[in-house]
Each structure stands twice: as structure tokens, then as C-alpha cells.
Amino acid sequence: MTIQINPSSSKYPTKMPTAIFLDSGGVINDNKRRAPQWLRCLGEFFPTTRLGGTAEVWSNANRQIVKPFFSRWHEYMQQATDEATNISNNNDGESPNVAVIFERIHLTEWMKQMCSCAAESLPELKELLPGLSDRDLFLLAKQAYQYTLPRVRADFPGAVDTIRKLSEETLGTGGGSEITKRYRLFTSSGDCFNDLESILKGVDAFEYFEQIYGSDRVNYLKVSPVYYERIFSREGIRVVSRRDASIEEVGTGQEVLVNEESDEVIVIDDSEKALMWARSLGARTVIIADEDVDLSLPHLAHIDYRLSSLSDLPALLEHWKDHFEKENEK
């Protein structure tokens, strides 16, 4: 078990958090373990379609294009944003769902690159490709995802069990009777809802979340604090306003609680940028990293804690609980 605390952050929150937001890839699911399973499933699926070929051809095609494809990820995001803006401007401000547009753009491009690579060893596919529209390719990509996502199981050891326990745990006692209030669990992923549903059902974790948030649920890509603002707003969450400790106050745990009705929120991700956006809104930020991170570095000041895995979260929460119980006894 590993818990690192940023020396420039307060050691404890102002009160126990009630809302916890989890990314999917890198937090719940191990992307490294997903890759070989993903290749296997694509190899099973595509030979059954009109594209033909063999499992080896399609697995190799995806393996060859994956790096150049993901190197243009932000380009696809910008294309989607620009297209959504243009549609909105030309339709009296009617706002299309930018995440749906992004899905169409990147899945179509993924299929184009895959087919181009596979066609080098499939003459019949090379003849077929000119007759396939972008929509044909997009629908094939969607079908591939629908086949693959529920069949890939790559959750980190202990992650689902941790999620289950947190969803069932009560937050203390009061007035001689147990308070039934529990941790509110949410996803905060850049994926779309349907993909997240398939992924989480595939690892038996879907039922433990109060809501599943992907970019399409808030009509905003995970590219700025606006993503989290929209989620918090939809859930009626008023995040505690935070003040970073001055040099003299480092380690004292002094923070400002502006409103007693505000909420302590935890956002857990493997992305430094995502945590920077969440931290700017007042959230407690936790990065998942299997190696030590120097949280004293200035560019990591927005990361409050580092855990080696999601399984370490209960220990951090228990540490906070012990602190508040002792404070209440004073």
C-alpha cells in the first residue's frame, strides 16, 4: 500500500467527502492488460464481417496503426469541437453533442487506418474499400466496439471490490443511530456512456455507481474544468472553496470552508491535466501511479495525493475518519 501526500497541500479535508469521481482507464481498468485482449477480440470480430480476412491480419493492423492513430487524438477533438461550433452557429444556437461528433470522427478514422493496413494483405478488401462510405466504416467500428468492450476484462486487482465496499459503506454515526448516508460514486471519464456501460458491466462494477458520466452526458469533451463544472452542476454539488496554504502554514492543514453546505469531493484520475482541472474547482485530487511521484514539484502542486492503486483509497479515507473522530472528541 502506498499513499503519498503533497507537502504543499493540507493533510486533511475540511470534512469527510461524500462524492467520489473515478476515471475508467488507468484507475479502474488497466490499459496495459486491456491491449492484448482488445487485439484478440478484434481478430474474432472482423473476419465475420463483409471485410473478411483473418484474426492475425486484423490484430496486426490494429497493432500497427495504434500509435499514429492516438498521436492525432487532440486533432480529432479539435475537429469535433469545430464541427459542433459550426453546426450551432448555423442552427440558431442549437447545440449538437460534441462527444457524439468526436466519436464519429475518431472511430471512422480508426477504421480507415485499420482497413488501409489490412488491405495490404487482403486483395479482396482493397477492391471493397472504395465502395464503403464513411458511415459504413463508422457503423462497422461501432459494431466492433459493441462486440469487444464487454468481452475485455482488465480491472486492476481489488478495484471492483473497493468500489463495491465504498458504495455500501456508511459515513459515521449520529444521535445514537447510524446515518444511512453513503459515498456517492460516479465515473468521470472521457468515454461515452454506452462504452462505459459495457466496460463496467463487463467487470461487474456498473451497479455500484450512482451515475455514469462520460463526455456525452455533459456535452463537453474532457479537455478543461468545464467538464467537471457540468458534472458537479448536474449533481447539485457545491465544492468546498479552497485556499492553498502559505509557506508558513504548510502542513498545518489550514483551509477555508466558505459554506457549511458545500461538499468535499474527491477526483481520482491517472491524468495530471484532468486533476489540474478538478483541483481548480476545489476538488481533492488523487493520482493513480504505480511509481513514486515527486509531489513537491511546482507543476504537480495541484495533485493532493498519490495512490499506487484504487485499492489504497479505503486506507486514506480511514485515516481521515480517524482524524475527524479525534477532533470531535476534543
Side-chain angles (χ1 to χ4, degrees):
M1 180 183 70
T2 302
I3 300 175
Q4 282 183 265
I5 302 174
N6 193 317
S8 65
S9 298
S10 60
K11 190 174 183 180
Y12 302 105
T14 58
K15 54 186 174 182
M16 283 302 295
T18 55
I20 301 175
F21 292 84
L22 305 177
D23 189 24
S24 175
V27 174
I28 301 172
N29 291 289
D30 185 346
N31 291 327
K32 292 179 181 178
R33 288 177 54 220
R34 286 177 63 84
Q37 297 181 55
W38 183 262
L39 293 176
R40 173 181 55 77
C41 289
L42 293 182
E44 293 172 356
F45 173 76
F46 281 116
T48 67
T49 70
R50 54 179 158 167
L51 301 181
T54 65
E56 182 180 8
V57 165
W58 288 107
S59 294
N60 287 337
N62 190 75
R63 189 180 292 110
Q64 290 180 46
I65 65 97
V66 66
K67 285 187 177 180
F69 171 73
F70 279 109
S71 70
R72 297 177 58 195
W73 196 251
H74 292 287
E75 178 185 332
Y76 306 143
M77 284 185 164
Q78 190 59 54
Q79 288 178 22
T81 300
D82 292 344
E83 183 174 329
T85 300
N86 290 335
I87 293 173
S88 180
N89 290 339
N90 294 325
N91 289 277
D92 298 322
E94 182 180 343
S95 180
N97 194 307
V98 66
V100 173
I101 296 173
F102 173 63
E103 180 185 51
R104 170 176 52 78
I105 289 173
H106 82 261
L107 286 185
T108 302
E109 185 60 29
W110 175 64
M111 278 304 303
K112 285 181 177 180
Q113 292 183 32
M114 283 253 292
C115 287
S116 176
C117 186
E120 294 178 6
S121 54
L122 297 175
E124 62 276 17
L125 177 59
K126 186 174 291 187
E127 294 180 6
L128 178 65
L129 281 180
L132 296 178
S133 66
D134 281 0
R135 177 165 177 76
D136 292 330
L137 294 172
F138 170 63
L139 292 177
L140 281 166
K142 285 283 288 183
Q143 291 166 11
Y145 266 56
Q146 290 165 1
Y147 176 86
T148 300
L149 288 176
R151 289 173 170 80
V152 172
R153 177 152 192 163
D155 47 308
F156 283 109
V160 173
D161 191 46
T162 297
I163 292 168
R164 178 186 60 77
K165 289 178 179 178
L166 290 175
S167 73
E168 297 171 349
E169 187 172 349
T170 56
L171 303 180
T173 59
S177 61
E178 189 175 72
I179 297 173
T180 57
K181 193 172 185 180
R182 289 176 168 81
Y183 291 114
R184 304 178 66 198
L185 299 183
F186 306 90
T187 61
S188 51
S189 169
D191 294 330
C192 284
F193 173 83
N194 288 339
D195 290 349
L196 288 168
E197 182 181 29
S198 294
I199 292 169
L200 294 173
K201 285 185 175 179
V203 299
D204 301 321
F206 182 81
E207 65 186 284
Y208 302 124
F209 289 93
E210 183 172 325
Q211 289 290 343
I212 305 298
Y213 279 107
S215 293
D216 58 327
R217 293 289 305 279
V218 293
N219 193 11
Y220 200 86
L221 299 179
K222 194 175 177 181
V223 295
S224 83
V226 175
Y227 170 81
Y228 290 104
E229 283 179 345
R230 293 193 176 187
I231 293 177
F232 296 162
S233 176
R234 283 188 61 154
E235 291 302 324
I237 292 173
R238 300 175 62 186
V239 185
V240 166
S241 179
R242 299 179 62 180
R243 171 176 62 81
D244 287 332
S246 66
I247 294 175
E248 293 78 19
E249 294 170 336
V250 167
T252 65
Q254 295 187 16
E255 296 247 356
V256 175
L257 178 58
V258 173
N259 191 315
E260 291 295 336
E261 298 303 317
S262 51
D263 304 289
E264 280 283 7
V265 169
I266 305 175
V267 173
I268 304 177
D269 211 296
D270 63 330
S271 164
E272 293 177 11
K273 282 188 176 181
L275 294 176
M276 178 176 64
W277 302 326
R279 180 65 162 74
S280 71
L281 300 175
R284 301 279 157 181
T285 54
V286 179
I287 193 166
I288 299 295
D290 54 10
E291 297 181 355
D292 284 352
V293 177
D294 187 354
L295 296 180
S296 67
L297 295 174
H299 73 280
L300 298 179
H302 59 279
I303 298 175
D304 295 313
Y305 308 91
R306 195 277 292 190
L307 303 180
S308 58
S309 73
L310 187 60
S311 299
D312 294 336
L313 181 58
L316 179 61
L317 295 173
E318 283 301 317
H319 179 61
W320 291 348
K321 279 185 181 180
D322 290 343
H323 164 75
F324 287 113
E325 287 175 0
K326 291 176 182 177
E327 288 293 309
N328 290 335
E329 291 173 358
K330 293 180 180 179

